[in-house]
Coordinates of all heavy atoms in Angstrom, one line a residue:
M1 N -1.7 8.8 2.7 CA -3.0 8.2 2.5 C -2.9 6.7 2.4 O -2.7 6.2 1.2 CB -3.6 8.9 1.3 CG -5.1 8.6 1.1 SD -5.8 10.0 0.3 CE -4.7 10.2 -1.1
A2 N -3.2 6.0 3.3 CA -3.1 4.5 3.2 C -4.2 4.0 2.2 O -5.2 4.8 2.0 CB -3.3 3.8 4.5
F3 N -4.1 3.0 1.7 CA -5.1 2.3 0.9 C -6.1 1.5 1.8 O -5.6 1.0 2.9 CB -4.6 1.4 -0.2 CG -4.3 2.3 -1.4 CD1 -3.3 3.3 -1.5 CD2 -5.0 2.0 -2.6 CE1 -3.1 4.0 -2.6 CE2 -4.6 2.8 -3.8 CZ -3.7 3.7 -3.8
I4 N -7.3 1.4 1.4 CA -8.2 0.5 2.1 C -8.9 -0.4 1.1 O -8.9 -0.2 -0.1 CB -9.3 1.2 2.9 CG1 -10.1 2.2 2.0 CG2 -8.7 2.0 4.0 CD1 -11.4 2.7 2.6
I5 N -9.4 -1.5 1.6 CA -10.0 -2.5 0.8 C -11.6 -2.4 1.1 O -11.9 -2.6 2.3 CB -9.5 -3.9 0.8 CG1 -8.0 -3.8 0.4 CG2 -10.4 -4.9 0.0 CD1 -7.3 -5.2 0.6
V6 N -12.4 -2.3 0.1 CA -13.9 -2.0 0.3 C -14.4 -3.4 0.0 O -14.0 -4.4 -0.3 CB -14.4 -0.9 -0.7 CG1 -13.8 0.3 -0.2 CG2 -14.2 -1.3 -2.0
D7 N -15.9 -3.3 0.4 CA -16.7 -4.7 0.4 C -16.8 -5.5 -1.0 O -17.0 -6.5 -1.0 CB -18.1 -4.3 0.9 CG -18.2 -3.9 2.3 OD1 -17.2 -4.2 3.0 OD2 -19.1 -3.4 2.7
D8 N -16.3 -4.7 -2.0 CA -16.3 -5.4 -3.4 C -15.4 -6.5 -3.4 O -15.3 -7.3 -4.3 CB -16.1 -4.4 -4.5 CG -17.1 -3.3 -4.6 OD1 -18.2 -3.6 -4.3 OD2 -16.8 -2.2 -5.0
C9 N -14.4 -6.5 -2.5 CA -13.3 -7.5 -2.5 C -14.0 -8.9 -2.5 O -14.9 -9.3 -1.7 CB -12.5 -7.4 -1.2 SG -11.3 -8.8 -0.9
N10 N -13.4 -9.9 -3.4 CA -14.0 -11.2 -3.4 C -12.9 -12.2 -2.9 O -13.0 -13.3 -3.3 CB -14.5 -11.5 -4.8 CG -13.4 -11.4 -5.9 OD1 -12.3 -11.2 -5.6 ND2 -13.7 -11.4 -7.2
L11 N -11.9 -11.8 -2.2 CA -10.9 -12.7 -1.7 C -10.1 -13.5 -2.7 O -9.7 -14.6 -2.6 CB -11.5 -13.5 -0.6 CG -12.0 -12.9 0.7 CD1 -12.8 -14.0 1.4 CD2 -10.9 -12.4 1.4
C12 N -9.9 -12.7 -3.9 CA -9.2 -13.5 -5.0 C -7.8 -13.7 -4.8 O -7.2 -14.5 -5.4 CB -9.4 -12.6 -6.3 SG -8.4 -11.2 -6.5
D13 N -7.2 -13.0 -3.7 CA -5.8 -13.2 -3.3 C -4.7 -12.6 -4.2 O -3.6 -12.7 -3.9 CB -5.6 -14.7 -3.4 CG -4.6 -15.1 -2.3 OD1 -4.6 -14.5 -1.2 OD2 -3.7 -16.0 -2.6
K14 N -5.1 -11.8 -5.3 CA -4.1 -11.2 -6.1 C -3.2 -10.2 -5.4 O -2.2 -9.9 -6.0 CB -4.8 -10.7 -7.5 CG -5.3 -11.8 -8.3 CD -5.9 -11.2 -9.6 CE -6.0 -12.1 -10.9 NZ -6.7 -13.3 -10.4
C15 N -3.9 -9.5 -4.5 CA -3.2 -8.4 -4.0 C -2.1 -8.7 -2.9 O -1.2 -7.9 -2.6 CB -4.2 -7.3 -3.4 SG -5.0 -8.1 -2.0
V16 N -2.2 -9.9 -2.3 CA -1.3 -10.1 -1.1 C 0.1 -10.1 -1.5 O 1.0 -9.4 -0.9 CB -1.8 -11.4 -0.5 CG1 -0.9 -11.8 0.7 CG2 -3.2 -11.4 -0.1
D17 N 0.5 -11.0 -2.4 CA 2.0 -11.1 -2.7 C 2.6 -9.8 -3.3 O 3.7 -9.4 -3.0 CB 2.2 -12.3 -3.7 CG 2.0 -13.5 -2.9 OD1 2.0 -13.6 -1.8 OD2 1.9 -14.6 -3.6
P18 N 2.0 -9.0 -4.1 CA 2.5 -7.9 -4.7 C 2.9 -6.7 -3.6 O 3.7 -5.9 -3.9 CB 1.6 -7.3 -5.8 CG 0.8 -8.6 -6.1 CD 0.7 -9.4 -4.8
C19 N 2.2 -6.8 -2.5 CA 2.4 -5.7 -1.6 C 3.8 -5.8 -0.9 O 4.2 -6.8 -0.4 CB 1.4 -5.8 -0.4 SG 1.7 -4.6 0.9
P20 N 4.7 -4.7 -1.2 CA 6.0 -4.8 -0.7 C 6.2 -4.8 0.8 O 7.3 -5.0 1.3 CB 6.5 -3.6 -1.3 CG 5.5 -2.6 -1.4 CD 4.4 -3.4 -1.7
N21 N 5.1 -4.5 1.5 CA 5.2 -4.3 3.0 C 4.5 -5.3 3.8 O 4.2 -5.2 4.9 CB 4.6 -2.9 3.3 CG 5.4 -1.8 2.7 OD1 6.7 -1.8 2.6 ND2 4.8 -0.8 2.1
D22 N 3.9 -6.4 3.2 CA 3.1 -7.5 3.8 C 2.0 -6.7 4.6 O 1.6 -7.1 5.7 CB 4.0 -8.3 4.6 CG 5.0 -9.1 3.8 OD1 4.7 -9.5 2.8 OD2 6.1 -9.4 4.5
A23 N 1.5 -5.8 4.0 CA 0.3 -5.1 4.6 C -1.0 -5.7 4.6 O -2.0 -5.2 5.3 CB 0.3 -3.7 4.2
I24 N -1.2 -6.8 3.8 CA -2.6 -7.2 3.5 C -2.7 -8.6 4.0 O -1.9 -9.4 3.8 CB -2.7 -7.2 1.9 CG1 -2.5 -5.8 1.4 CG2 -4.2 -7.7 1.6 CD1 -2.6 -5.7 -0.2
T25 N -3.7 -8.7 4.9 CA -4.2 -10.0 5.4 C -5.6 -10.3 5.2 O -6.3 -9.4 4.9 CB -3.8 -9.9 6.9 OG1 -4.5 -8.9 7.6 CG2 -2.4 -9.9 7.2
E26 N -5.9 -11.6 5.3 CA -7.3 -12.0 5.1 C -8.2 -11.7 6.4 O -7.8 -12.0 7.5 CB -7.4 -13.4 4.9 CG -8.7 -14.0 4.5 CD -8.6 -15.4 4.0 OE1 -7.5 -16.0 3.8 OE2 -9.8 -16.0 3.7
G27 N -9.3 -11.0 6.2 CA -10.2 -10.7 7.2 C -11.4 -11.7 7.1 O -11.2 -12.8 6.5
D28 N -12.4 -11.5 7.8 CA -13.6 -12.4 7.8 C -14.2 -12.5 6.4 O -14.3 -13.6 5.9 CB -14.6 -11.9 8.7 CG -14.2 -12.1 10.2 OD1 -13.3 -13.0 10.5 OD2 -14.8 -11.5 11.1
D29 N -14.5 -11.5 5.6 CA -15.2 -11.6 4.5 C -14.3 -10.9 3.3 O -14.5 -11.2 2.1 CB -16.5 -10.9 4.5 CG -17.4 -11.5 5.6 OD1 -17.4 -12.7 5.5 OD2 -18.0 -10.7 6.3
I30 N -13.4 -10.0 3.7 CA -12.6 -9.3 2.7 C -11.2 -9.3 3.2 O -10.9 -9.5 4.4 CB -13.2 -7.9 2.3 CG1 -13.0 -7.1 3.7 CG2 -14.6 -7.9 1.8 CD1 -13.4 -5.6 3.4
Y31 N -10.3 -8.9 2.3 CA -8.9 -8.7 2.8 C -8.8 -7.4 3.5 O -9.7 -6.4 3.2 CB -8.0 -8.7 1.6 CG -7.5 -10.2 1.3 CD1 -8.2 -10.8 0.1 CD2 -6.7 -10.8 2.1 CE1 -7.7 -12.2 -0.2 CE2 -6.3 -12.1 1.7 CZ -6.9 -12.8 0.6 OH -6.5 -14.0 0.3
I32 N -7.8 -7.1 4.4 CA -7.7 -6.0 5.2 C -6.3 -5.4 5.0 O -5.3 -6.2 4.8 CB -7.8 -6.3 6.7 CG1 -9.4 -6.7 6.8 CG2 -7.7 -5.0 7.6 CD1 -9.6 -7.3 8.2
I33 N -6.1 -4.1 4.8 CA -4.8 -3.5 4.8 C -4.5 -2.8 6.1 O -5.3 -2.0 6.7 CB -4.8 -2.4 3.7 CG1 -5.0 -3.0 2.3 CG2 -3.5 -1.5 3.7 CD1 -5.0 -2.0 1.1
D34 N -3.3 -3.2 6.7 CA -2.8 -2.4 8.0 C -2.3 -1.1 7.5 O -1.3 -1.0 6.9 CB -1.8 -3.3 8.6 CG -1.2 -2.7 9.9 OD1 -1.5 -1.5 10.1 OD2 -0.6 -3.4 10.6
P35 N -2.9 0.0 7.9 CA -2.5 1.2 7.6 C -1.1 1.7 8.1 O -0.5 2.5 7.6 CB -3.7 2.3 8.1 CG -4.3 1.5 9.2 CD -4.1 0.0 8.9
E36 N -0.8 1.0 9.1 CA 0.6 1.2 9.7 C 1.7 0.6 8.9 O 2.9 0.9 9.1 CB 0.7 0.8 11.1 CG -0.2 1.6 12.1 CD -0.1 3.1 12.0 OE1 1.0 3.4 11.9 OE2 -1.0 3.8 12.1
K37 N 1.3 -0.3 8.0 CA 2.3 -0.9 7.0 C 2.2 -0.4 5.6 O 3.1 -0.6 4.8 CB 2.1 -2.4 7.1 CG 2.5 -3.0 8.4 CD 2.4 -4.6 8.2 CE 2.9 -5.3 9.4 NZ 2.9 -6.7 9.4
C38 N 1.0 0.2 5.2 CA 0.9 0.7 3.9 C 1.7 2.0 3.6 O 1.6 2.9 4.4 CB -0.7 0.9 3.6 SG -0.9 1.6 1.9
T39 N 2.5 2.0 2.6 CA 3.2 3.2 2.1 C 2.7 3.6 0.9 O 3.4 4.4 0.2 CB 4.7 3.0 2.0 OG1 4.9 1.9 1.0 CG2 5.4 2.5 3.4
E40 N 1.5 3.3 0.4 CA 1.0 3.5 -0.9 C 2.0 3.0 -1.9 O 2.2 3.6 -3.1 CB 0.8 5.0 -1.1 CG -0.3 5.6 0.0 CD -0.5 7.0 -0.1 OE1 -0.2 7.6 -1.2 OE2 -1.0 7.5 0.9
C41 N 2.8 2.0 -1.6 CA 4.0 1.5 -2.4 C 5.1 2.6 -2.6 O 6.0 2.2 -3.4 CB 3.5 0.9 -3.7 SG 2.6 -0.7 -3.5
V42 N 5.1 3.6 -1.9 CA 6.2 4.6 -1.9 C 7.5 3.8 -1.4 O 7.4 3.3 -0.4 CB 5.8 5.9 -1.1 CG1 7.1 6.8 -1.0 CG2 4.9 6.7 -1.8
G43 N 8.6 4.1 -2.2 CA 9.8 3.5 -1.8 C 10.0 2.2 -2.8 O 11.1 1.7 -2.8
F44 N 9.0 1.8 -3.4 CA 9.2 0.5 -4.1 C 8.7 0.5 -5.6 O 9.2 0.0 -6.5 CB 8.5 -0.7 -3.4 CG 9.1 -0.8 -2.0 CD1 8.4 -0.2 -0.9 CD2 10.1 -1.6 -1.9 CE1 9.0 -0.5 0.3 CE2 10.7 -1.8 -0.6 CZ 10.2 -1.3 0.5
F45 N 7.4 1.1 -5.8 CA 6.8 1.1 -7.1 C 6.2 2.5 -7.4 O 5.7 3.2 -6.5 CB 5.6 0.0 -7.0 CG 6.1 -1.3 -6.8 CD1 5.9 -2.0 -5.6 CD2 6.8 -2.1 -7.8 CE1 6.4 -3.3 -5.3 CE2 7.2 -3.4 -7.6 CZ 7.0 -4.0 -6.3
D46 N 6.1 2.8 -8.6 CA 5.4 4.0 -9.1 C 3.9 3.8 -9.1 O 3.2 4.9 -9.1 CB 5.8 4.3 -10.6 CG 7.2 4.7 -10.6 OD1 7.8 5.2 -9.7 OD2 7.7 4.6 -11.9
V47 N 3.4 2.6 -8.9 CA 1.9 2.5 -9.0 C 1.5 1.6 -7.7 O 2.2 0.6 -7.6 CB 1.5 1.8 -10.2 CG1 0.0 1.4 -10.2 CG2 1.8 2.6 -11.4
P48 N 0.6 2.0 -6.9 CA 0.2 1.2 -5.8 C -0.3 -0.2 -6.3 O -1.1 -0.4 -7.2 CB -1.0 1.9 -5.2 CG -0.7 3.4 -5.5 CD 0.0 3.2 -6.9
Q49 N 0.4 -1.2 -5.9 CA 0.4 -2.5 -6.5 C -1.0 -3.2 -6.3 O -1.6 -3.8 -7.1 CB 1.5 -3.5 -6.0 CG 2.9 -3.0 -6.4 CD 3.0 -3.0 -7.9 OE1 3.3 -4.1 -8.4 NE2 3.1 -1.9 -8.5
C50 N -1.6 -3.1 -5.0 CA -2.8 -3.8 -4.8 C -3.9 -3.1 -5.7 O -4.7 -3.9 -6.3 CB -3.2 -3.5 -3.3 SG -3.4 -1.9 -2.7
A51 N -4.0 -1.9 -5.8 CA -4.9 -1.3 -6.7 C -4.7 -1.7 -8.3 O -5.7 -1.9 -9.0 CB -5.0 0.3 -6.7
D52 N -3.4 -1.9 -8.6 CA -3.2 -2.2 -9.9 C -3.6 -3.6 -10.3 O -3.9 -3.9 -11.4 CB -1.7 -2.0 -10.1 CG -1.2 -2.1 -11.6 OD1 -1.9 -1.3 -12.4 OD2 -0.2 -2.6 -11.9
V53 N -3.5 -4.5 -9.3 CA -3.9 -6.0 -9.7 C -5.3 -6.3 -9.3 O -5.8 -7.3 -9.9 CB -3.0 -6.9 -9.0 CG1 -1.5 -6.7 -9.4 CG2 -3.0 -6.9 -7.5
C54 N -5.9 -5.5 -8.6 CA -7.3 -5.7 -8.1 C -8.3 -6.0 -9.3 O -8.5 -4.8 -10.1 CB -7.8 -4.9 -7.1 SG -9.4 -5.3 -6.6
P55 N -9.0 -7.0 -9.5 CA -9.9 -7.1 -10.7 C -11.2 -6.5 -10.6 O -12.0 -6.4 -11.5 CB -10.1 -8.6 -10.9 CG -9.8 -9.2 -9.5 CD -8.9 -8.3 -8.9
V56 N -11.5 -6.1 -9.3 CA -12.8 -5.5 -9.1 C -12.6 -4.0 -8.3 O -13.6 -3.6 -7.9 CB -13.6 -6.4 -8.0 CG1 -14.0 -7.7 -8.8 CG2 -13.1 -6.6 -6.7
D57 N -11.4 -3.5 -8.5 CA -11.3 -2.1 -8.2 C -11.6 -1.9 -6.6 O -12.2 -0.9 -6.3 CB -11.9 -1.1 -8.9 CG -11.4 -1.1 -10.3 OD1 -10.1 -1.4 -10.5 OD2 -12.2 -0.7 -11.4
A58 N -11.4 -2.9 -5.9 CA -11.7 -2.8 -4.4 C -10.6 -2.1 -3.5 O -10.8 -1.9 -2.4 CB -12.0 -4.1 -3.8
C59 N -9.4 -1.8 -4.1 CA -8.3 -1.2 -3.3 C -8.4 0.4 -3.6 O -8.0 0.7 -4.7 CB -7.1 -1.8 -3.7 SG -6.9 -3.5 -3.4
I60 N -8.8 1.1 -2.7 CA -8.9 2.6 -3.0 C -8.2 3.4 -2.0 O -7.8 2.8 -0.8 CB -10.3 3.0 -3.0 CG1 -11.0 2.6 -1.6 CG2 -11.1 2.2 -4.1 CD1 -12.4 3.3 -1.6
T61 N -8.0 4.6 -2.2 CA -7.4 5.5 -1.2 C -8.2 5.8 -0.1 O -9.5 6.0 -0.2 CB -6.8 6.9 -1.8 OG1 -7.9 7.4 -2.5 CG2 -5.7 6.5 -2.8
D62 N -7.7 5.9 1.3 CA -8.5 6.2 2.4 C -8.3 7.8 2.5 O -7.3 8.3 3.0 CB -7.9 5.5 3.5 CG -8.7 5.8 4.8 OD1 -9.6 6.5 4.8 OD2 -8.4 5.1 5.8
E63 N -9.4 8.4 2.2 CA -9.5 9.9 2.2 C -9.3 10.5 3.7 O -8.9 11.6 3.9 CB -10.7 10.5 1.6 CG -10.7 10.0 0.0 CD -9.6 10.6 -0.9 OE1 -9.0 11.6 -0.6 OE2 -9.4 10.0 -1.9
D64 N -9.6 9.7 4.6 CA -9.5 10.0 5.9 C -8.1 10.0 6.5 O -7.8 10.3 7.7 CB -10.4 9.3 6.9 CG -11.9 9.4 6.6 OD1 -12.2 10.6 6.1 OD2 -12.7 8.5 6.8
R65 N -7.2 9.5 5.7 CA -5.8 9.2 6.2 C -4.9 9.8 5.1 O -4.2 9.0 4.4 CB -5.6 7.9 6.4 CG -4.2 7.5 7.1 CD -4.1 5.9 7.2 NE -4.7 5.5 8.4 CZ -4.0 5.3 9.5 NH1 -2.8 5.7 9.6 NH2 -4.7 4.9 10.7
V66 N -4.8 11.2 5.0 CA -3.8 11.7 4.0 C -2.5 11.8 4.7 O -2.3 12.3 5.8 CB -4.4 13.2 3.7 CG1 -3.4 13.9 2.8 CG2 -5.7 13.0 3.1
E67 N -1.5 11.4 3.9 CA -0.1 11.4 4.4 C 0.8 12.0 3.3 O 0.5 11.7 2.0 CB 0.3 10.0 4.7 CG -0.4 9.5 6.0 CD -0.2 7.9 6.2 OE1 -0.7 7.2 5.3 OE2 0.4 7.7 7.3
S68 N 1.8 12.5 3.7 CA 2.8 13.2 2.7 C 3.7 12.0 2.2 O 4.0 10.9 2.7 CB 3.6 14.3 3.3 OG 4.5 13.7 4.2
E69 N 4.3 12.3 1.0 CA 5.2 11.5 0.4 C 6.5 11.2 1.5 O 7.0 10.1 1.7 CB 6.0 12.0 -0.8 CG 6.9 11.0 -1.5 CD 7.5 11.7 -2.8 OE1 7.6 12.8 -2.9 OE2 7.7 10.8 -3.8
A70 N 6.8 12.3 2.1 CA 8.0 12.2 3.1 C 7.7 11.2 4.3 O 8.4 10.4 4.8 CB 8.3 13.5 3.6
D71 N 6.4 11.4 4.7 CA 5.9 10.5 5.8 C 5.9 9.0 5.3 O 6.3 8.2 6.1 CB 4.5 10.8 6.3 CG 4.5 12.2 7.1 OD1 5.6 12.7 7.5 OD2 3.4 12.7 7.2
L72 N 5.4 8.9 4.1 CA 5.4 7.4 3.5 C 6.8 6.8 3.3 O 7.1 5.6 3.5 CB 4.7 7.4 2.3 CG 3.2 7.7 2.6 CD1 2.4 8.1 1.3 CD2 2.3 6.6 3.2
L73 N 7.7 7.7 2.9 CA 9.1 7.2 2.8 C 9.7 6.9 4.0 O 10.4 5.9 4.2 CB 10.0 8.4 2.2 CG 10.2 8.4 0.7 CD1 10.9 9.7 0.2 CD2 10.9 7.0 0.1
E74 N 9.4 7.7 5.1 CA 9.9 7.4 6.4 C 9.3 6.1 6.9 O 10.0 5.3 7.5 CB 9.5 8.5 7.3 CG 10.0 8.4 8.7 CD 9.6 9.7 9.6 OE1 9.6 10.8 9.1 OE2 9.3 9.4 10.8
R75 N 8.1 5.8 6.7 CA 7.5 4.4 7.1 C 8.1 3.4 6.3 O 8.4 2.3 7.0 CB 6.0 4.6 6.8 CG 5.2 3.2 7.1 CD 3.7 3.2 7.0 NE 3.3 4.2 7.9 CZ 2.2 5.0 7.6 NH1 1.6 4.9 6.4 NH2 1.8 5.9 8.4
A76 N 8.4 3.6 5.0 CA 9.1 2.5 4.2 C 10.4 2.2 4.9 O 10.8 1.1 5.0 CB 9.1 2.9 2.8
R77 N 11.2 3.1 5.2 CA 12.4 3.0 5.8 C 12.3 2.3 7.1 O 13.1 1.4 7.5 CB 13.2 4.3 5.9 CG 13.6 4.8 4.5 CD 14.2 6.2 4.7 NE 14.5 6.8 3.4 CZ 14.4 8.0 3.0 NH1 13.8 8.9 3.9 NH2 14.7 8.4 1.8
A78 N 11.3 2.6 8.0 CA 11.2 2.1 9.2 C 10.7 0.5 9.1 O 11.2 -0.3 10.0 CB 10.1 2.7 10.0
L79 N 10.0 0.3 8.1 CA 9.5 -1.2 7.9 C 10.6 -2.1 7.3 O 10.5 -3.2 7.5 CB 8.3 -1.1 6.9 CG 7.0 -0.6 7.5 CD1 6.0 -0.4 6.4 CD2 6.4 -1.6 8.5
H80 N 11.6 -1.4 6.6 CA 12.8 -2.1 5.9 C 14.1 -1.7 6.4 O 14.7 -1.0 5.6 CB 12.6 -2.1 4.5 CG 11.2 -2.6 4.0 ND1 11.0 -3.9 3.7 CD2 10.0 -2.0 3.8 CE1 9.7 -4.0 3.3 NE2 9.1 -2.8 3.3
P81 N 14.5 -1.7 7.7 CA 15.7 -1.1 8.1 C 16.9 -1.5 7.5 O 17.8 -0.8 7.5 CB 15.7 -1.5 9.6 CG 14.7 -2.7 9.8 CD 13.7 -2.5 8.7
G82 N 16.9 -2.7 6.9 CA 18.1 -3.2 6.2 C 18.2 -2.7 4.8 O 19.2 -3.1 4.0
K83 N 17.3 -2.0 4.2 CA 17.2 -1.7 2.9 C 17.4 -0.1 2.6 O 17.0 0.6 3.4 CB 15.8 -2.1 2.3 CG 15.6 -1.9 0.8 CD 14.3 -2.5 0.4 CE 14.0 -2.2 -1.0 NZ 15.0 -2.7 -2.0
E84 N 18.1 0.0 1.6 CA 18.6 1.5 1.3 C 17.3 2.0 0.4 O 17.1 1.5 -0.7 CB 19.8 1.6 0.5 CG 20.3 3.0 0.1 CD 20.8 3.8 1.3 OE1 21.2 3.3 2.1 OE2 20.7 5.0 1.1
I85 N 16.6 3.0 0.9 CA 15.5 3.6 0.2 C 15.9 5.1 0.1 O 15.7 5.8 1.0 CB 14.1 3.4 1.0 CG1 13.9 1.8 1.2 CG2 13.0 4.1 0.1 CD1 12.6 1.5 1.9
P86 N 16.3 5.5 -1.2 CA 16.7 6.9 -1.4 C 15.5 7.8 -1.4 O 14.3 7.4 -1.6 CB 17.3 6.8 -2.6 CG 16.9 5.5 -3.3 CD 16.5 4.7 -2.3
D87 N 15.7 9.2 -1.3 CA 14.8 10.2 -1.5 C 14.0 10.1 -2.9 O 12.9 10.4 -2.9 CB 15.2 11.5 -1.3 CG 15.7 11.8 0.2 OD1 15.2 11.0 1.0 OD2 16.4 12.8 0.5
D88 N 14.7 9.6 -3.8 CA 14.1 9.5 -5.1 C 13.7 8.1 -5.5 O 13.5 7.8 -6.6 CB 15.0 10.1 -6.3 CG 16.4 9.3 -6.3 OD1 16.5 8.4 -5.5 OD2 17.0 9.5 -7.3
A89 N 13.3 7.3 -4.5 CA 12.8 5.9 -4.6 C 11.5 6.0 -5.4 O 10.8 7.1 -5.5 CB 12.6 5.4 -3.3
P90 N 11.1 4.9 -6.1 CA 9.9 5.0 -6.8 C 8.7 5.4 -5.9 O 8.6 5.1 -4.8 CB 9.6 3.5 -7.3 CG 11.0 3.0 -7.3 CD 11.8 3.5 -6.2
S91 N 7.8 6.2 -6.7 CA 6.7 6.9 -5.8 C 5.6 7.2 -6.8 O 5.9 7.9 -7.8 CB 7.2 8.0 -5.0 OG 6.2 8.8 -4.7
H92 N 4.3 7.1 -6.4 CA 3.3 7.5 -7.4 C 3.1 9.1 -7.3 O 2.5 9.7 -8.2 CB 1.9 6.9 -7.0 CG 1.3 7.3 -5.7 ND1 0.6 8.5 -5.6 CD2 1.4 6.7 -4.4 CE1 0.2 8.6 -4.2 NE2 0.8 7.6 -3.6
F93 N 3.7 9.7 -6.3 CA 3.7 11.1 -6.2 C 4.5 11.8 -7.5 O 4.2 12.9 -7.8 CB 4.3 11.6 -4.9 CG 3.5 11.4 -3.7 CD1 3.6 10.2 -3.0 CD2 2.8 12.5 -3.2 CE1 2.8 9.9 -1.9 CE2 2.0 12.3 -2.1 CZ 1.9 11.0 -1.5
R94 N 5.4 11.0 -7.9 CA 6.3 11.7 -9.1 C 6.1 10.8 -10.3 O 6.8 11.1 -11.2 CB 7.8 11.6 -8.5 CG 8.0 12.8 -7.6 CD 9.4 12.8 -7.0 NE 9.6 11.7 -6.0 CZ 10.1 10.5 -6.2 NH1 10.7 10.3 -7.4 NH2 10.1 9.6 -5.2
A95 N 5.2 9.9 -10.3 CA 5.0 9.1 -11.5 C 4.4 9.8 -12.7 O 3.7 10.7 -12.4 CB 4.3 7.7 -11.2
Ligands
LIG1 FE1 0.6 -2.7 0.1 FE2 1.1 -0.8 -1.8 FE3 -1.4 -1.7 -1.4 FE4 -0.3 -0.1 0.5 S1 -0.8 0.5 -1.7 S2 -1.4 -2.0 0.9 S3 1.9 -0.8 0.3 S4 0.4 -3.0 -2.2

């Protein structure tokens, strides 16, 4: 389940750097998350970083895109081929 950014976003910029996958870019009026890069921070953090730092709670889960922890781990490994990401890497599924 990738995260999405909703219209409440005020382009404050706090979410961009914490994202471990460089999944967040600036759109016309709000920031945008590339769902093919979002792992819900699985592989890196116990808490989705964008949602954690957003001051207006504009980063929310996309209920139309439900994905398993295994799928998200696989994506994290594909996005970071040079990095060792073990099965028990940080994940909000087990936090
Ligand atoms: Fe990036 Fe994590 Fe937010 Fe997904 S949940 S966009 S990986 S910071």
Side-chain angles (χ1 to χ4, degrees):
M1 185 155 53
F3 273 64
I4 56 172
I5 296 177
V6 296
D7 290 347
D8 295 331
C9 172
N10 61 14
L11 294 171
C12 75
D13 209 40
K14 287 186 166 44
C15 62
V16 176
D17 286 345
C19 176
N21 299 317
D22 293 330
I24 304 174
T25 55
E26 189 173 349
D28 289 337
D29 299 314
I30 61 174
Y31 279 101
I32 297 169
I33 295 173
D34 180 347
E36 297 304 324
K37 290 185 173 179
C38 178
T39 63
E40 303 175 23
C41 286
V42 167
F44 299 94
F45 299 104
D46 290 335
V47 176
Q49 298 294 286
C50 56
D52 196 43
V53 299
C54 181
V56 294
D57 295 331
C59 303
I60 63 171
T61 51
D62 184 352
E63 301 295 334
D64 292 331
R65 183 181 279 265
V66 177
E67 296 169 292
S68 69
E69 182 181 35
D71 287 346
L72 294 166
L73 263 176
E74 187 176 321
R75 179 173 300 143
R77 290 171 179 142
L79 289 168
H80 302 272
K83 186 173 173 60
E84 181 74 22
I85 300 178
D87 287 345
D88 63 350
S91 164
H92 70 84
F93 285 82
R94 285 172 286 106

